[in-house]
Amino acid sequence: MAAQLAVSALSGAGFEIIFGDLLKMVLIVLKNNSQFKPSLERLQKMLEEMAPNIKRIESFNRELDQPKQLERLQGLMSDGKDLVLKCSKIHKYNCLKRPIYNKKLLKLEKDIRDHINIVLQFQEVADTKEILVKQNWTLVGVNNVSSGMKQLSNQVYSGVTQLSDEIVKLRMTISNGDRVDSSNSNIRLAGVCSPPLLKVDPVGFEIPLSELMIKFLKDETSQHIVLSAPGGCGKTTLATALCQLENVKDKFKSNIFFLNVPKLRNLTVIVKMIFQHKDRQLPDFQSEEDAVNHLERLFKQIGPDPVLLVLDDVWPGSESILHKLKFRLENYKILVTSRYEFPSFGSTYKLETLNHADAVTLFQRLALPRDQQSYAPDQQTLEEMVKCCRGFPLVISVVGKSLCGKSAAEWRKRLRECYKAASILTEHEVLDCLQSSVEALNDNVVAKECFMDLGSFPEDQRIPATTLIDMWAELYSLDDDGAIANLHELSDRNLIEVLVTRKDANEDDGSYNEHFVTQHDLLRELAIRESNSKGIEHRKRVILEINENKIPEWLTEQNELSIRAKLLSISTDETFSSSWPSMQAPEVEVLLLNFQTGKHSLPEFIERMNKLKVLVLYNYGFVPAEFSNFRLLGSLSNLKRIRLEKVSIPSLFLTSMKWRKLKKMSLVMCNIGQAFNKSTNKISDAFPKLVDLTIDYCNDLEELPTGFCDLVLLRKLSITNCHKLLALPEDMGNLLDLEILRLNSCIELTELPGTIGGLHKLQILDLSDCLSVMELPEQIGQLHNLRKLYMIECSSCELPSSVTNLFHLKEVICDEETAMSWTRFKPCLPSLTIRVHKEINLNWLG
């Protein structure tokens, strides 16, 4: 009945007819073909749910002249009808085609759903436009009403598009992977508020996990619970494990929100993160109270499923936030993890350290070598070392990993050091115990310095691995491989965790764009403590945090402080007024600016940083930031590497930036249209030495700037997730030194230029998720040094016969249907391995 009503509701013209035809076709095939029943039923349900919104939005589009909003969706519907018709003709015994077309149906449903949620934001846009239509706008008189409505409509659509670009980032995290390649890593699922995914079951948490589960599932009186324990006891791990329990996921479904709440986290930021996670348009909050009211309304709307809000690592200064989030809602529960108790907020669950048996089990898992060649201590030595860790999972993890494969002398030395700790560890003594594991890096002095550099980043922020590689390469005169080796050294010792956010990421390609680093807050505190052990004038790295515009006393005591550090990190919050203190930093080689405000200014003293080699501008706010004095960066004549994240790059970028020594540039989630699109200034004039360029999630990039292919030294080019990029330059063949070209997820890119055949040094080509590329050029066969090709979700792309000339092609990574296309060329390419990329299970998305 619901299906019939949905079809009848869409009996109008244009897009409504196409939509109705698709739904009719789904219903017909469902009656006569059972082999695709689950996928077709999902598609039917989704179409029925969206039917009222389709009718309303098309109606408003006609009145407000925004027909392009539905063009892409119209194409999806038309293709979908053809696909469903094809499915109806597949025989039930055709085992080869059945899984392929079932996957296509699932992808169709996902594409339509994503397009609604990401691009159109149906309900929000419909409601907003309905208001615009119903209200009698009078702007400059009756004759201007129509144009005024269109202008306002464009503004609304622009705002939604900007939000959509942020949401696309989250969605692509889903499609680009939630696999963890590091054996000791956690990873956040897609969505800024999704709980981490534990790869290994935690040891010794069975009883507390069971007790917490009862409180959240059966005890209706336990609405607010504080999970309290000293640092390093595993509070975050236990909270994460709770969120992964099947019965917890069954109860709360998609309404589990997991947020880190570091010191001085602003409540409005928390609310924005939750709205972003639910793919909702961000309201313009007038105050903190307004933000809280919006959140309460959101939680009411997303019912009737219960809501679980997990606030991780809450500090005493954030206690007021907890009380403001206590809404009078049914089936709404809050779990807080903290080193402190908040008795006025809710009941406290105290997490104890591991008992001896569990501590030994965990320590053995990490400390004992898997091979039979390395030294393994006797049981007495092992148990004495475990006792020194006092049952703290973090200490056991770090100490155990640092001893794995070490000699008997090293074990005895470390045991003597750990004996110095008190029988009951305070937080300071936990740091002392962890310090011994850091001191074990003395045989690798550079790795120890790299560990200390990690304190330069904001608490609970994922650090791009490429940023660390850039820093370490320049600070310690390493090549990229040497920097990567230190990254793995710290990971192997459990001093950091490495997350991989793309399921087909391969370190063998030399690309770490999909790798991120996280660190336990105690280890971060240890790094900061070690960095701050000397006077400010003698520190190798200076870490400056400015919150609520409060400048640290050590900086205000002098009229103009002069530092000798090589690394300077400055972090500011969303209240920062851009009133910078005066400072001299002539020796700084790496500058990290971490900020949140949408309007920002650079410190004036940056002009005098004549030795600066690496600059990182990282905006961890919600929209790209605009800089009032971007021109200051033009004076950095020794700059070699730059990373800009969520920055609006001004039009003067290519004219005023003359970085003659710049080797590597990374632009991530930036607005670069003003600087790149139809620019008359040659990028090759501004950056003549550039060898490595990454442009990622820059959604206003439509074409590459003038003279792009004059960057003749370029060896690595990565233009990924740029959804408006339509074409590559015709003279791509001029990039004769190019070895790696990544274009994955440029969904509007329609073709590769024929001149690509001139890239004779190209070894790796990534075209995954370039959905609009229908065929490869015949000249692709001239890439005689190509050894690896990614073509995941490229089943619509035809392969020319010239691919038989790719004699050095060793591996094609692709989906099943694309693999079938390549199989027919396999006899001509005996060295070729076709690796079918397996889809991940996304059932948790709901």
Side-chain angles (χ1 to χ4, degrees):
M1 184 62 179
Q4 293 174 351
L5 290 174
V7 172
S8 62
L10 295 166
S11 57
F15 175 74
E16 294 177 31
I17 292 179
I18 296 175
F19 180 88
D21 288 346
L22 171 59
L23 184 51
K24 287 178 184 177
M25 182 62 68
V26 171
L27 296 174
I28 292 171
V29 177
L30 261 176
K31 285 184 179 180
N32 304 316
N33 193 321
S34 61
Q35 57 184 325
F36 296 106
K37 184 176 181 180
S39 298
L40 289 173
E41 285 181 339
R42 284 171 58 106
L43 185 57
Q44 174 197 352
K45 181 180 178 182
M46 187 265 295
L47 292 172
E48 290 170 357
E49 290 174 349
M50 65 183 280
N53 285 324
I54 292 292
K55 185 174 179 64
R56 293 171 64 198
I57 286 184
E58 181 164 66
S59 171
F60 296 139
N61 276 338
R62 285 195 294 267
E63 295 181 64
L64 295 180
D65 192 25
Q66 289 287 345
K68 291 187 177 180
Q69 294 184 37
L70 294 179
E71 285 183 1
R72 168 70 174 155
L73 195 54
Q74 181 173 326
L76 284 174
M77 296 292 181
S78 181
D79 294 343
K81 179 186 174 183
D82 295 339
L83 173 62
V84 175
L85 181 60
K86 288 180 181 178
C87 290
S88 68
K89 298 178 180 179
I90 295 176
H91 196 277
K92 63 181 180 180
Y93 294 118
N94 192 329
C95 298
L96 181 62
K97 283 191 174 182
R98 196 166 63 196
I100 293 175
Y101 277 84
N102 193 59
K103 178 183 173 184
K104 285 187 174 186
L105 285 173
L106 293 175
K107 186 174 185 300
L108 172 66
E109 183 220 343
K110 176 181 178 298
D111 287 347
I112 294 175
R113 188 186 298 276
D114 282 358
H115 198 70
I116 296 167
N117 291 338
I118 298 171
V119 181
L120 295 180
Q121 292 291 295
F122 272 118
Q123 191 61 52
E124 289 83 354
V125 176
D127 291 342
T128 304
K129 290 186 175 181
E130 185 173 18
I131 293 170
L132 293 179
V133 170
K134 290 182 177 179
Q135 291 193 20
N136 183 20
W137 294 95
T138 304
L139 298 179
V140 194
V142 175
N143 293 334
N144 291 333
V145 170
S146 177
S147 62
M149 288 173 64
K150 290 181 181 180
Q151 182 180 0
L152 286 167
S153 171
N154 290 334
Q155 292 173 354
V156 171
Y157 182 65
S158 175
V160 172
T161 302
Q162 189 175 45
L163 172 64
S164 299
D165 291 343
E166 290 296 310
I167 296 171
V168 165
K169 176 67 174 178
L170 305 179
R171 289 296 189 190
M172 292 312 298
T173 306
I174 297 172
S175 64
N176 284 346
D178 56 1
R179 287 283 189 237
V180 182
D181 290 352
S182 175
S183 61
N184 56 3
S185 297
N186 299 340
I187 185 167
R188 277 197 182 283
L189 296 174
V192 287
C193 302
S194 295
L197 179 63
L198 295 176
K199 189 176 182 182
V200 180
D201 291 335
V203 175
F205 281 5
E206 293 82 3
I207 293 176
L209 189 58
S210 175
E211 292 175 345
L212 270 183
M213 180 188 68
I214 291 172
K215 286 181 177 292
F216 278 96
L217 296 182
K218 299 180 180 180
D219 186 357
E220 294 303 323
T221 63
S222 300
Q223 297 294 323
H224 312 122
I225 299 175
V226 179
L227 173 58
S228 180
C233 278
K235 300 182 294 295
T236 300
T237 300
L238 179 58
T240 300
L242 176 73
C243 294
Q244 302 302 326
L245 292 175
E246 288 301 322
N247 44 7
V248 172
K249 291 192 288 186
D250 288 342
K251 177 175 181 176
F252 296 99
K253 297 183 172 61
S254 62
N255 290 342
I256 299 177
F257 304 92
F258 196 107
L259 294 96
N260 296 111
V261 188
K263 295 178 183 177
L264 299 176
R265 169 57 58 86
N266 183 282
L267 178 55
T268 302
V269 173
I270 292 175
V271 176
K272 286 181 178 180
M273 292 173 70
I274 294 174
F275 267 79
Q276 193 180 53
H277 177 85
K278 294 300 289 184
D279 291 356
R280 298 299 181 102
Q281 184 174 359
L282 281 177
D284 184 14
F285 301 127
Q286 302 302 310
S287 64
E288 190 174 88
E289 181 181 2
D290 184 38
V292 172
N293 292 336
H294 273 85
L295 181 62
E296 184 174 7
R297 287 196 292 270
L298 175 64
F299 281 171
K300 288 179 180 178
Q301 293 170 7
I302 62 179
D305 291 333
V307 174
L308 173 58
L309 178 61
V310 181
L311 302 173
D312 186 38
D313 195 22
V314 178
W315 289 74
S318 302
E319 187 171 2
S320 62
I321 291 177
L322 303 183
H323 290 282
K324 291 177 181 178
L325 293 174
K326 290 173 70 172
F327 307 134
R328 294 182 178 275
L329 301 174
E330 290 186 15
N331 296 319
Y332 170 50
K333 299 205 173 189
I334 302 178
L335 174 63
V336 171
T337 74
S338 179
R339 303 180 198 179
Y340 308 90
E341 297 179 30
F342 303 105
S344 64
F345 173 74
S347 60
T348 300
Y349 183 92
K350 292 188 176 180
L351 177 62
E352 304 294 336
T353 54
L354 297 181
N355 62 43
H356 184 67
D358 288 332
V360 169
T361 298
L362 179 59
F363 193 85
Q364 287 177 324
R365 177 192 290 181
L366 297 164
L368 297 186
R370 296 179 181 177
D371 61 80
Q372 303 299 318
Q373 309 298 323
S374 303
Y375 170 75
D378 57 66
Q379 191 64 25
Q380 181 179 354
T381 302
L382 188 145
E383 296 213 8
E384 288 297 317
M385 184 63 77
V386 171
K387 287 179 182 179
C388 290
C389 297
R390 307 300 180 219
F392 283 81
L394 175 65
V395 178
I396 294 170
S397 175
V398 174
V399 173
K401 264 290 190 178
S402 68
L403 284 170
C404 183
K406 297 297 182 181
S407 65
E410 181 66 19
W411 275 80
R412 290 193 296 270
K413 174 176 174 289
R414 295 291 302 284
L415 187 57
R416 289 194 300 271
E417 292 172 349
C418 288
Y419 270 141
K420 297 176 183 178
S423 59
I424 300 177
L425 292 178
T426 64
E427 181 177 307
H428 182 76
E429 288 161 342
V430 168
L431 292 179
D432 288 341
C433 194
L434 293 171
Q435 176 65 34
S436 66
S437 295
V438 176
E439 294 299 333
L441 288 169
N442 283 340
D443 57 340
N444 188 341
V445 177
V446 173
K448 184 177 178 181
E449 293 294 328
C450 291
F451 169 78
M452 306 236 267
D453 291 337
L454 289 163
S456 306
F457 295 87
E459 183 181 355
D460 292 324
Q461 293 294 322
R462 293 197 313 181
I463 307 168
T466 51
T467 297
L468 296 174
I469 293 168
D470 290 343
M471 289 169 48
W472 296 341
E474 298 300 335
L475 281 173
Y476 308 117
S477 301
L478 305 171
D479 58 19
D480 283 5
D481 288 339
I484 291 168
N486 285 292
L487 188 74
H488 287 293
E489 175 78 6
L490 297 180
S491 176
D492 291 343
R493 294 175 183 259
N494 273 5
L495 294 171
I496 61 173
E497 293 182 358
V498 178
L499 290 68
V500 184
T501 59
R502 181 176 171 182
K503 52 187 176 285
D504 59 323
N506 192 331
E507 296 175 5
D508 293 340
D509 297 349
S511 173
Y512 279 75
N513 288 347
E514 308 293 341
H515 293 63
F516 295 85
V517 170
T518 63
Q519 186 177 41
H520 193 282
D521 53 357
L522 273 181
L523 290 168
R524 178 178 179 271
E525 289 175 28
L526 178 60
I528 293 174
R529 189 181 76 168
E530 290 300 298
S531 295
N532 294 347
S533 59
K534 297 180 180 180
I536 189 70
E537 297 87 354
H538 304 290
R539 294 177 189 172
K540 295 180 180 179
R541 56 193 67 77
V542 170
I543 302 169
L544 172 60
E545 294 186 2
I546 303 176
N547 293 303
E548 298 180 343
N549 289 302
K550 296 176 182 177
I551 308 296
E553 290 185 4
W554 56 263
L555 189 54
T556 58
E557 290 172 351
Q558 303 182 38
N559 289 333
E560 187 169 81
L561 178 67
S562 180
I563 62 173
R564 313 302 296 176
K566 288 193 172 185
L567 188 157
L568 174 60
S569 169
I570 305 177
S571 299
T572 58
D573 64 6
E574 68 281 353
T575 66
F576 185 59
S577 63
S578 293
S579 178
W580 292 101
S582 182
M583 182 188 299
Q584 292 284 346
E587 301 298 322
V588 168
E589 297 180 5
V590 175
L591 175 62
L592 306 176
L593 291 182
N594 308 294
F595 56 95
Q596 293 187 52
T597 52
K599 303 285 186 180
H600 209 72
S601 69
L602 297 166
E604 294 290 336
F605 55 75
I606 199 173
E607 277 190 305
R608 301 186 294 275
M609 291 184 173
N610 297 323
K611 294 185 179 181
L612 191 66
K613 297 178 182 178
V614 180
L615 174 63
V616 178
L617 302 184
Y618 176 52
N619 172 14
Y620 54 107
F622 291 88
V623 296
E626 296 180 2
F627 283 86
S628 60
N629 55 352
F630 203 87
R631 56 174 177 75
L632 292 180
L633 300 182
S635 63
L636 303 176
S637 58
N638 283 307
L639 197 65
K640 293 184 178 180
R641 303 175 189 237
I642 185 170
R643 179 184 177 94
L644 307 179
E645 186 155 342
K646 283 193 205 167
V647 172
S648 287
I649 300 176
S651 56
L652 54 79
F653 186 61
L654 297 183
T655 56
S656 60
M657 303 300 118
K658 303 297 182 182
W659 295 325
R660 302 297 182 186
K661 296 183 180 180
L662 191 72
K663 298 186 299 183
K664 181 177 180 181
M665 179 161 55
S666 302
L667 307 175
V668 181
M669 287 188 282
C670 291
N671 288 343
I672 63 177
Q674 289 187 49
F676 278 20
N677 294 341
K678 300 180 181 179
S679 171
T680 58
N681 300 296
K682 288 189 174 183
I683 188 174
S684 54
D685 291 340
F687 320 122
K689 302 292 186 182
L690 199 64
V691 298
D692 189 337
L693 175 61
T694 294
I695 304 175
D696 192 26
Y697 290 104
C698 295
N699 287 329
D700 64 341
L701 177 67
E702 298 177 0
E703 61 182 5
L704 296 174
T706 302
F708 182 85
C709 294
D710 292 335
L711 294 170
V712 293
L713 299 181
L714 208 60
R715 294 202 301 268
K716 297 180 181 179
L717 175 59
S718 177
I719 306 175
T720 55
N721 304 293
C722 294
H723 300 142
K724 292 185 179 180
L725 181 67
L726 300 174
L728 297 176
E730 284 298 326
D731 54 349
M732 280 289 289
N734 291 349
L735 301 176
L736 298 178
D737 284 344
L738 197 65
E739 299 172 0
I740 298 175
L741 175 59
R742 301 187 185 279
L743 300 168
N744 61 281
S745 299
C746 291
I747 59 177
E748 296 297 332
L749 184 67
T750 56
E751 62 180 359
L752 301 181
T755 55
I756 195 173
L759 304 179
H760 298 307
K761 293 185 180 180
L762 193 67
Q763 299 180 35
I764 298 170
L765 175 61
D766 188 349
L767 300 175
S768 294
D769 293 299
C770 289
L771 305 178
S772 300
V773 176
M774 296 293 104
E775 61 181 0
L776 296 183
E778 189 71 27
Q779 295 87 341
I780 199 81
Q782 298 172 18
L783 301 177
H784 299 308
N785 283 303
L786 190 68
R787 58 181 178 83
K788 182 175 288 189
L789 176 61
Y790 291 86
M791 290 189 67
I792 301 168
E793 300 299 339
C794 292
S795 57
S796 300
C797 184
E798 294 186 10
L799 304 177
S801 59
S802 63
V803 297
T804 56
N805 297 324
L806 300 174
F807 301 118
H808 289 93
L809 185 62
K810 301 298 182 185
E811 189 174 20
V812 172
I813 300 94
C814 57
D815 54 89
E816 290 185 32
E817 193 166 355
T818 307
M820 293 174 60
S821 298
W822 275 98
T823 301
R824 60 193 176 98
F825 297 107
K826 189 74 168 63
C828 301
L829 300 168
S831 300
L832 176 64
T833 298
I834 302 172
R835 182 158 64 88
V836 176
H837 171 75
K838 298 297 183 182
E839 283 293 333
I840 58 175
N841 184 0
L842 297 179
N843 289 336
W844 57 271
L845 286 173

